[in-house]
Amino acid sequence: MKGKKYFGKKKTIKDHISKKKRKSSNDTYVTNKKAKFNRYKNVQKVEEELEKKKQMERKFQREQEAYSESEEEQDVYGQLVSCFSKPTNAIVVNSDEEVDSDSPSPEIESCARKRARNEEVSKTESDSDYSDSEDNAKGQDFDNTATFETELDHETDDSFVKHLQYDLPDELLISLNNSPMTVSTISKTWPVIGNITIVIPRPIETAIKKVKAKISLLEDKTFAEPGTAPSLIHKVDFEELKIKSQIHGNIVSANKTSLVKRDLELSEVLTPLQKEIFSILNNYQDLYYPERTFSNADEIRYIYCLHAINHMLKTRTRILHHNAKLIKKNDISDDYRDQGLVRPKVLVMVPFKNAAYRVVKTLMEILVPKEAGQVLNKKRFEDEFTGGELIMPRKNPKPEDYELMFTGNTDDTFRIGMTVTKKSLKLYTDFYSSDIIVASPLGLRMLVGAEGEEDRDYDFLASIEILIMDQADVFLMQNWDHLLHVLDHFHLQPKKTHDTDFSRVRSWAVNGWAKYYRQTLVFASVLLPEIKSVLNKKCHNYAGKVLVENPVEVGSIQQVLLQIPQIFHRFNASTALESAEARFEYFIKEVLPKQRDTLMSHTLIYVPSYFDYVRIRNYFKKEDISFVQICEYSKDAKIARARDMFFHTEAHFLLYSERVHFFRRFRIKGIRHIIFYQPPTYPHFYSEMCNLMQESNQNKYGGSECNMTVSVLYCRCDLVRLGALLGAARGARVLRADRPVHMYVTGD
C-alpha cells in the first residue's frame, strides 16, 4: 500500500510539473504570437497611413510627377510620420513583451521605409518621362521652396511673366476682335536686320474703362499690358535677358558648335544677327524674317532653339515651385494657375527630316551637352532621321542651292515629341506628355485628319505658346493647304481632359483666349504675300508683330546672261481672287494667240501655282493645242518623253510647273521662248530658266537664236515678286506707269 501511495504521489508531482511546464510554454507561445500579431498589425497601420497620405496628396502628386524628375530618393515614411504621427519615445520590442501599437518599431520602420522607396522607384521607372537619373545621382532637391522663391522673385520683371501671367483687359480684347484692328505702327532700322515694322494692337477707349476706374478701389486685379517696341541688345547679360542659369555654361559652346563656318570671337556670346533676333523673340512678339539664307541658317536655328529651351525651363520652374507650395497647404487660388489645357507648349515646323535632325541636335547642345546629361531614345532618333540622302549627279551637277536644300534625309512625313527636364531630354514621348514637338506640316496633317474621319486628334495643339516655322517658303512648294489646315485647328476646345488639373489652368486658356498669347516665329528665304496673309489672319498675338521689310535694290534680272528681250505684261486686278480669273483671260486673249504662230515654237510656259497649271492644261486639251507637260506628279518615263518631244519640235508648248523645278531642277533643252504665267516664287528661278536658252542647249534645226523672247504676266498683287525681279524701285515705277507693256534687255 505504501508503495502504491508513493507511486501515486510521485506520478501526481510529475504530472503537476509537466502541466506547469506546458502552461509556461503555452504562455510563451501566446506572448510570441501576440507580439507577432501586434507587429503585423502595426505594419498594416503604417501601410494604411501611407495609403491615406497618398489619397490626400493625389491631386498635387500628379502634377509633381508630370513636371519633375525624381532628383533624390524621398523619405516617404518620414513624411508620413511627420504628418500623421505624434512624437513618441522608441520602445524596444522583445518576443515576450507587448508592442505599443501607437509607435512603430525600428524593424517596422525599416520595412515601411524600404516598401515606400520601392514604390517610388517602381513608379519612377514606370513613368520615366518625368524622371532624371542624373539629378538623383547628385541628390539635388528641386522642391526646395526657398530656392524657387528666389528664382521667381528674380523673374517678376521677366517678359515671360508679363506676357503669360495676366488676363487681357476688355478694351484690348475688343481691339483684337475688331476689323480693322486698332494698332500703332513703329518703324526702325537696325544694323544687321535692316528695316523693321512693328505693329502693336492698342486698347480702345470705351465706357468700360471709365466704369472700371470707379470700381478699382474695390477690386485690385492686374491685367496684361499692351506690347512695346523691342529694344536692341548691345551687350549680352544672361541676368538681364532672364536666361535660366542652368544653361549659362552651354550657350557659348553650343553656339560655336552650330556655327561651323564661322567662329565666334572670344568676347562674343551671340552674333550680331542673333542679338537682334533675340531682342524680338525675348519680347514675345511675332516675327517674320524673310532673309534666311544657307549661310545664316545655323545662326537663326540656334537662337530660336535657345528661346524655346529658355521658355520651357521657366515654365517648368514655375510649376515645380507651385507644386512644392501646394503640398504644404491645400490652397487653390489664381496665383497658382500656371498651365494650359494640355501640356505641349512649343511646336517647331520644318519641311524635311534633315532640318528636324538639326533642330533636335541644337536643343541637345543647349540643354544636355556631352557628359552633362542624358538623351533618351537617342539611337532610335539617329537611325530614323539620318540616311536616305539623295545622290547628286557628278555629270551636269545641280545648282549649289539645290544641293544645300536637299542634303541629308529629305522625308517630309515625321513628328516627334520631347520632354524637357533639368538634366535630360527624352525623345519620342507621347504628345500629351511632351513639352516640345518637332514635325512637318504633312506629319501633323495626317494626325489632325479631315472632317468626318474617326481617327483624328488635334487636342495637343490647344495650348501651344510658341509656334516656330522655319523654311516656311518650302511649305509653299510642298502643299500650302496642309499648313493652313493645321493652323485652323490651333487653340480649339479639347475633346478629352487628358488628365488636366483645371484648378491649375490659366483663366485666359479656359476663356478661349489662348490664340492671343501665342508667339509665332516665321523664317523664310523670300518675302511672300501668302506668308504675310497667314500672319495677318491666323496670328493674333496681343503683344504685336515685327516684320522685316528691306527693299530689293538689284533684281534677279541682272543675273540673266543672254541679251534677249524680256517683256512684262500688266493686267488689271485689285484683289488676289480677281487676279486668278483676270490673269487667265489676259493669257488666252492677249499672249497665247501670238505664241501659237509657227515661228514661236519651243515655248515653255512656267506656272508657279498648281491650280493655274491644271486650268491651262485643261484648256489646251479642250482647244487641241500641241503641248507636253511636266509637273511634280509626272512619272520619269513621261518626263523623258515630254523633254524629247519638246526638243525635237514634236510639241509646240511645254507646260512646266514651278514645284517640279524646285524638287527636280531639270535643265530643259530646246527652249526658245518662255512665258512666266506669274513671277516665280524664288527670284533666282527667273534668271536660271532664262539662262537655259543659251546656244549650247538649242536644237540646231529648231529655229534662230535671234527669235528668242521672255514674257512675264503680272498685276498689282504681284508687287513683291515683281520687285524681286526688277528691283523694288523699278517694280513700283512699272506698276504706276500708264503703259501696260514694258520691255527690258539685260544690262539696261
Side-chain angles (χ1 to χ4, degrees):
M1 293 292 295
K2 289 182 180 179
K4 289 181 180 179
K5 287 182 180 180
Y6 178 77
F7 178 78
K9 188 177 180 181
K10 188 175 182 180
K11 185 177 181 182
T12 305
I13 293 171
K14 286 175 93 177
D15 292 341
H16 179 71
I17 292 172
S18 177
K19 185 177 181 181
K20 193 172 183 180
K21 286 183 177 181
R22 285 198 302 271
K23 184 179 180 182
S24 176
S25 177
N26 288 338
D27 291 343
T28 304
Y29 176 79
V30 170
T31 303
N32 291 339
K33 276 286 188 180
K34 194 173 183 179
K36 290 181 180 179
F37 175 77
N38 288 335
R39 187 182 299 116
Y40 175 76
K41 184 178 180 181
N42 199 22
V43 172
Q44 277 189 323
K45 183 175 181 179
V46 171
E47 292 179 348
E48 290 174 359
E49 291 176 342
L50 273 170
E51 186 63 27
K52 184 178 179 181
K53 172 66 175 176
K54 289 178 182 178
Q55 290 177 357
M56 292 181 63
E57 296 182 350
R58 184 167 298 167
K59 180 184 295 185
F60 307 117
Q61 190 68 21
R62 186 186 300 124
E63 294 297 331
Q64 185 70 8
E65 291 172 357
Y67 285 94
S68 64
E69 64 275 22
S70 300
E71 303 184 41
E72 184 180 9
E73 291 185 358
Q74 298 180 355
D75 188 356
V76 179
Y77 179 78
Q79 296 178 3
L80 174 68
V81 172
S82 64
C83 294
F84 293 94
S85 300
K86 296 181 180 180
T88 56
N89 295 328
I91 299 177
V92 180
V93 179
N94 296 323
S95 60
D96 51 354
E97 290 183 1
E98 186 172 342
V99 181
D100 185 358
S101 60
D102 291 334
S103 178
S105 69
E107 296 175 359
I108 301 171
E109 188 175 73
S110 176
C111 177
R113 192 186 300 271
K114 186 176 180 181
R115 182 188 299 272
R117 288 179 178 176
N118 289 338
E119 290 177 357
E120 288 294 324
V121 171
S122 63
K123 183 181 293 185
T124 304
E125 290 177 351
S126 65
D127 194 7
S128 58
D129 289 358
Y130 316 126
S131 64
D132 190 351
S133 58
E134 184 70 19
D135 291 341
N136 285 334
K138 294 185 178 182
Q140 297 176 355
D141 185 9
F142 271 120
D143 292 337
N144 189 323
T145 307
T147 303
F148 284 124
E149 288 286 359
T150 304
E151 291 186 8
L152 291 188
D153 289 343
H154 182 67
E155 294 177 355
T156 52
D157 58 341
D158 189 1
S159 56
F160 167 84
V161 178
K162 294 179 180 178
H163 183 71
L164 297 172
Q165 186 66 21
Y166 309 113
D167 288 348
L168 296 176
D170 294 335
E171 298 83 8
L172 189 54
L173 274 173
I174 295 173
S175 177
L176 290 168
N177 287 302
N178 279 352
S179 182
M181 187 189 306
T182 303
V183 299
S184 62
T185 305
I186 304 171
S187 298
K188 289 187 176 183
T189 302
W190 284 359
V192 180
I193 289 182
N195 299 324
I196 61 174
T197 302
I198 308 163
V199 182
I200 301 176
R202 288 300 176 192
I204 294 179
E205 294 289 340
T206 62
I208 301 176
K209 190 170 184 179
K210 298 178 181 179
V211 174
K212 282 187 175 181
K214 296 180 180 179
I215 64 174
S216 59
L217 297 175
L218 301 176
E219 180 183 0
D220 185 12
K221 184 176 180 180
T222 305
F223 289 96
E225 297 181 357
T228 58
S231 300
L232 182 59
I233 298 173
H234 297 286
K235 181 180 179 182
V236 178
D237 187 334
F238 295 151
E239 299 296 330
E240 291 184 2
L241 297 178
K242 309 302 179 186
I243 298 176
K244 296 297 291 183
S245 58
Q246 66 193 73
I247 59 174
H248 285 180
N250 308 334
I251 291 178
V252 177
S253 59
N255 199 15
K256 288 186 176 181
T257 302
S258 64
L259 299 178
V260 179
K261 298 181 180 179
R262 174 180 174 181
D263 295 329
L264 284 171
E265 298 292 338
L266 294 177
S267 59
E268 290 183 342
V269 177
L270 301 175
T271 65
L273 175 62
Q274 289 175 334
K275 291 179 185 178
E276 297 187 7
I277 293 179
F278 194 71
S279 301
I280 301 169
L281 269 54
N282 207 34
N283 207 35
Y284 280 89
Q285 291 172 315
D286 294 349
L287 170 65
Y288 178 24
Y289 183 74
E291 297 181 5
R292 181 192 186 277
T293 62
F294 294 107
S295 59
N296 65 17
D298 293 330
E299 295 179 70
I300 294 172
R301 183 185 305 109
Y302 173 83
I303 203 63
Y304 71 65
C305 286
L306 174 62
H307 178 59
I309 286 290
N310 195 41
H311 178 86
M312 286 312 310
L313 291 178
K314 289 178 181 179
T315 301
R316 177 177 174 273
T317 300
R318 202 162 192 82
I319 291 174
L320 290 178
H321 164 70
H322 290 161
N323 289 347
K325 273 193 168 184
L326 290 172
I327 287 177
K328 295 185 177 181
K329 59 177 181 177
N330 188 7
D331 179 21
I332 302 297
S333 64
D334 290 345
D335 295 336
Y336 297 101
R337 294 184 179 271
D338 49 20
Q339 302 171 28
L341 294 171
V342 289
R343 179 166 178 171
K345 297 290 186 295
V346 178
L347 174 61
V348 182
M349 298 177 69
V350 288
F352 305 118
K353 273 190 174 181
N354 178 61
Y357 177 79
R358 296 186 181 187
V359 169
V360 177
K361 293 290 285 186
T362 305
L363 294 173
M364 292 180 190
E365 293 292 336
I366 296 173
L367 184 66
V368 283
K370 296 179 180 179
E371 300 180 358
Q374 59 178 344
V375 179
L376 305 181
N377 297 322
K378 184 176 180 180
K379 185 177 184 303
R380 176 186 171 188
F381 170 73
E382 294 280 350
D383 294 340
E384 292 186 7
F385 282 78
T386 56
E389 298 183 9
L390 295 177
I391 300 176
M392 299 296 173
R394 294 184 178 180
K395 185 180 180 181
N396 295 326
K398 301 289 185 180
E400 182 183 4
D401 66 291
Y402 180 88
E403 295 186 1
L404 293 173
M405 175 69 72
F406 295 99
T407 184
N409 193 326
T410 56
D411 185 8
D412 61 350
T413 309
F414 61 89
R415 49 184 180 267
I416 179 173
M418 291 174 282
T419 298
V420 176
T421 63
K422 183 184 179 183
K423 290 293 182 180
S424 70
L425 182 68
K426 182 170 183 181
L427 308 179
Y428 293 99
T429 54
D430 178 73
F431 275 7
Y432 296 99
S433 302
S434 302
D435 298 313
I436 302 175
I437 297 173
V438 180
S440 65
L442 178 57
L444 293 177
R445 176 68 174 80
M446 294 175 65
L447 194 61
V448 170
E451 191 69 31
E453 294 182 4
E454 295 181 2
D455 189 16
R456 59 186 309 221
D457 184 17
Y458 48 83
D459 289 354
F460 61 90
L461 300 172
S463 297
I464 297 296
E465 295 171 357
I466 297 179
L467 170 61
I468 302 170
M469 294 187 285
D470 196 5
Q471 295 179 273
D473 52 288
V474 182
F475 301 158
L476 192 64
M477 295 292 104
Q478 292 177 330
N479 195 323
W480 193 246
D481 287 340
H482 291 338
L483 176 65
L484 299 179
H485 184 77
V486 171
L487 292 177
D488 287 338
H489 288 79
F490 271 73
H491 309 301
L492 301 180
Q493 182 177 349
K495 295 182 178 180
K496 299 179 181 178
T497 59
H498 303 287
D499 297 327
T500 301
D501 183 1
F502 290 96
S503 64
R504 300 285 294 276
V505 177
R506 294 187 175 102
S507 56
W508 50 259
V510 177
N511 293 335
W513 300 341
K515 64 180 180 180
Y516 301 125
Y517 290 80
R518 189 189 78 213
Q519 181 185 29
T520 305
L521 310 175
V522 183
F523 302 96
S525 60
V526 288
L527 181 64
L528 294 173
E530 291 87 350
I531 299 179
K532 288 188 69 174
S533 176
V534 166
L535 256 71
N536 293 332
K537 295 181 179 180
K538 299 184 183 297
C539 302
H540 312 277
N541 189 353
Y542 80 88
K545 58 187 174 184
V546 178
L547 307 175
V548 178
E549 297 176 319
N550 292 316
V552 179
E553 296 181 0
V554 179
S556 62
I557 194 173
Q558 300 293 337
Q559 300 170 2
V560 178
L561 303 178
L562 303 177
Q563 296 290 324
I564 53 178
Q566 302 164 54
I567 305 170
F568 288 77
H569 300 263
R570 188 183 69 207
F571 61 92
N572 296 323
S574 57
T575 65
L577 291 176
E578 292 180 6
S579 66
E581 187 66 30
R583 192 186 308 272
F584 182 73
E585 292 295 327
Y586 187 87
F587 171 74
I588 63 175
K589 292 179 180 179
E590 301 293 336
V591 179
L592 187 60
K594 300 176 183 177
Q595 296 294 137
R596 295 184 67 174
D597 189 276
T598 307
L599 297 175
M600 304 299 286
S601 62
H602 294 270
T603 298
L604 182 143
I605 304 175
Y606 182 97
V607 188
S609 171
Y610 184 72
F611 299 104
D612 292 332
Y613 174 91
V614 172
R615 189 174 189 178
I616 296 173
R617 182 191 64 187
N618 294 341
Y619 179 80
F620 277 14
K621 288 182 178 180
K622 180 182 177 181
E623 297 295 326
D624 196 21
I625 298 175
S626 174
F627 81 103
V628 289
Q629 57 178 318
I630 299 177
C631 69
E632 58 272 22
Y633 302 110
S634 302
K635 296 181 180 180
D636 290 342
K638 290 187 175 181
I639 292 174
R641 181 172 176 271
R643 295 177 66 178
D644 182 72
M645 292 179 66
F646 181 72
F647 181 76
H648 292 96
T649 327
E650 296 179 32
H652 189 94
F653 292 101
L654 170 60
L655 198 56
Y656 190 67
S657 73
E658 184 177 62
R659 288 168 66 181
V660 74
H661 187 70
F662 175 83
F663 285 106
R664 305 293 294 273
R665 207 64 68 89
F666 292 120
R667 293 189 175 186
I668 307 295
K669 294 184 177 181
I671 305 173
R672 294 193 176 276
H673 308 278
I674 299 179
I675 300 175
F676 287 94
Y677 190 75
Q678 184 181 6
T681 302
Y682 293 91
H684 65 278
F685 283 1
Y686 177 82
S687 57
E688 191 173 300
M689 294 301 300
C690 292
N691 291 333
L692 290 176
M693 301 167 68
Q694 57 189 322
E695 182 63 27
S696 60
N697 292 332
Q698 299 297 330
N699 182 350
K700 62 178 67 176
Y701 304 105
S704 173
E705 181 181 355
C706 62
N707 193 29
M708 295 182 179
T709 59
V710 175
S711 301
V712 183
L713 278 64
Y714 71 95
C715 67
R716 188 171 301 276
C717 300
D718 299 320
L719 174 61
V720 176
R721 298 187 182 207
L722 185 66
L725 299 186
L726 300 176
R730 182 183 290 180
R733 288 198 302 268
V734 166
L735 280 175
R736 292 193 302 264
D738 296 332
R739 293 183 295 110
V741 179
H742 296 77
M743 186 179 73
Y744 296 95
V745 179
T746 304
D748 289 355

